[in-house]
Amino acid sequence: MTEATPAVRPARPHFSSGPCAKRPGWSPENLNTSPLGRSHRSKIGKSRLGDAIDRTRALLGVPDDYRIGIVPASDTGAVEMAMWSMLGERPVDMLAWESFGAGWVSDVTKQLKLDARSLTAGYGEIADLAAVDPTHDVVFTWNGTTSGVRVPNADWISADREGIVICDATSAIFAQPLDWAKLDVVTYSWQKVLGGEGGHGVLILSPRAVERLESYTPSWPLPKIFRLTKGGKLIEGIFEGATINTPSMLCVEDYIDALKWASSLGGLEALHGRADSNAAALATYVEKTPWLDFLCEDPELRSNTSVCLKIADPDIAALDEADQRAFVKAMEKLLESQDAAYDIGGYRDAPPGLRIWCGATVDTTDIEALGPWLDWAYASAKTAL
């Protein structure tokens, strides 16, 4: 092992891509207003859930005629609710360029067995957005959490589309601008960009999505946890704080705390700026580091949150995949042993490499301090080969 360690550690070495770093200055004491031990259907419980929805709308600039609901099972639950409740009315284009998008493709083609086109690309690349048919429904991830590839904008989505657009935005929301007019369903979990606690999803529906729900009934049975309508009408209570199942009021309070923090910074623009600053600081380091490179080569498509990196050293790249993964794991262990970085290994289905979260709850000074530690871990792991 290389003995000389860098002089400065990241103050908060939390660079996991989910759950992500808590906001700067976070403390459990900030959650003392949570109505623990009270029913989520009590006046105070509904009030806190309603407050979370109202603050979400204000911070994100969600149009007044879009519904916002808190749903179970994180972003996954929100996406599954939308797909199982709305798809099947017409053909669907499934876009995927990383593992979570591929999971939605699998669910639609193998479980729902729908008339679906799969438009896919490998890790580090993006699907052919121009091939999307505006007469079809569309399902896609705005930001590929496990590949570090995002859509550059929503220009490829037709304003005159006939189908609905379902967007998994869990690692993009609060960090990248979304074009609400082009999106009919937006899903996310607050455990990512705002560093909330896991287990809850957010489901945002446009009027077009509500129209689909009220005019179309799938041919398959829907479990209670997926049902968004009753008697052919939207269950409005879900979007007013009456959740489908019991939420954690502590997690809801933690989300409200993060929303308050974001507003205190200056709102959405400030969050975007923090993520961009973090990604730029990491890019500056990568560009001067010969042994490391971006998985996504196109800067226009590169994520500013889940930044995925590959080992560019020819000696390491020449190893078989298992040995490359072992090398990355050795780096991870070294960094964690020094409390310099936690949980930065690439996703298990992605090519061997690193993944650094650069969302708004991370401080740029910590990204800057991380670089020398990555050099140290790389040199130490290579010496041990």
Side-chain angles (χ1 to χ4, degrees), residues 200-247:
H200 301 75
V202 176
L203 178 67
I204 303 177
L205 305 180
S206 76
R208 297 179 78 251
V210 174
E211 181 182 6
R212 170 67 64 84
L213 284 166
E214 294 184 338
S215 64
Y216 164 70
T217 301
S219 59
W220 47 82
L222 285 177
K224 178 182 179 181
I225 206 166
F226 283 179
R227 293 176 206 156
L228 294 167
T229 61
K230 185 176 182 180
K233 293 295 182 182
L234 187 73
I235 303 174
E236 294 285 0
I238 295 172
F239 306 93
E240 297 169 352
T243 53
I244 293 175
N245 72 334
T246 304

Side-chain angles (χ1 to χ4, degrees), residues 275-287:
D276 288 343
S277 177
N278 290 336
L282 185 56
T284 296
Y285 164 73
V286 173
E287 287 163 5

Side-chain angles (χ1 to χ4, degrees), residues 83 85-94 108 112-117 133-139 160-166 184 208 211-212 215-220:
M83 294 198 303
S85 298
M86 298 183 203
L87 296 183
E89 190 263 356
R90 62 179 60 230
V92 56
D93 285 347
M94 302 294 300
V108 165
L112 294 176
K113 296 180 170 57
L114 295 181
D115 178 8
R117 283 198 310 164
D133 188 332
T135 68
H136 292 185
D137 291 334
V138 180
V139 180
D160 300 321
R161 64 194 179 277
E162 298 176 26
I164 60 169
V165 176
I166 298 175
D184 299 304
R208 297 179 78 251
E211 181 182 6
R212 170 67 64 84
S215 64
Y216 164 70
T217 301
S219 59
W220 47 82

Side-chain angles (χ1 to χ4, degrees), residues 292-371:
L292 196 61
D293 203 355
F294 290 101
L295 184 59
C296 177
E297 296 181 359
D298 187 345
E300 293 299 314
L301 302 177
R302 196 176 293 154
S303 173
N304 66 342
T305 56
S306 56
V307 182
C308 297
L309 306 170
K310 59 185 178 182
I311 309 298
D313 179 346
D315 293 338
I316 305 303
L319 300 175
D320 63 31
E321 182 175 324
D323 287 340
Q324 289 184 50
R325 293 192 184 281
F327 182 84
V328 172
K329 182 63 68 175
M331 288 184 61
E332 279 191 89
K333 290 180 179 179
L334 287 165
L335 291 163
E336 184 170 351
S337 72
Q338 293 289 327
D339 294 319
Y342 303 145
D343 311 319
I344 65 167
Y347 193 71
R348 62 179 178 269
D349 293 334
L354 304 174
R355 182 172 55 158
I356 314 296
W357 185 257
C358 290
T361 59
V362 174
D363 289 319
T364 302
T365 52
D366 286 336
I367 294 289
E368 293 170 340
L370 174 64

Side-chain angles (χ1 to χ4, degrees), residues 162-185:
E162 298 176 26
I164 60 169
V165 176
I166 298 175
C167 172
D168 173 357
T170 197
S171 58
I173 200 92
F174 299 112
Q176 300 163 19
L178 304 184
D179 188 344
W180 292 103
K182 297 291 186 71
L183 306 174
D184 299 304
V185 178

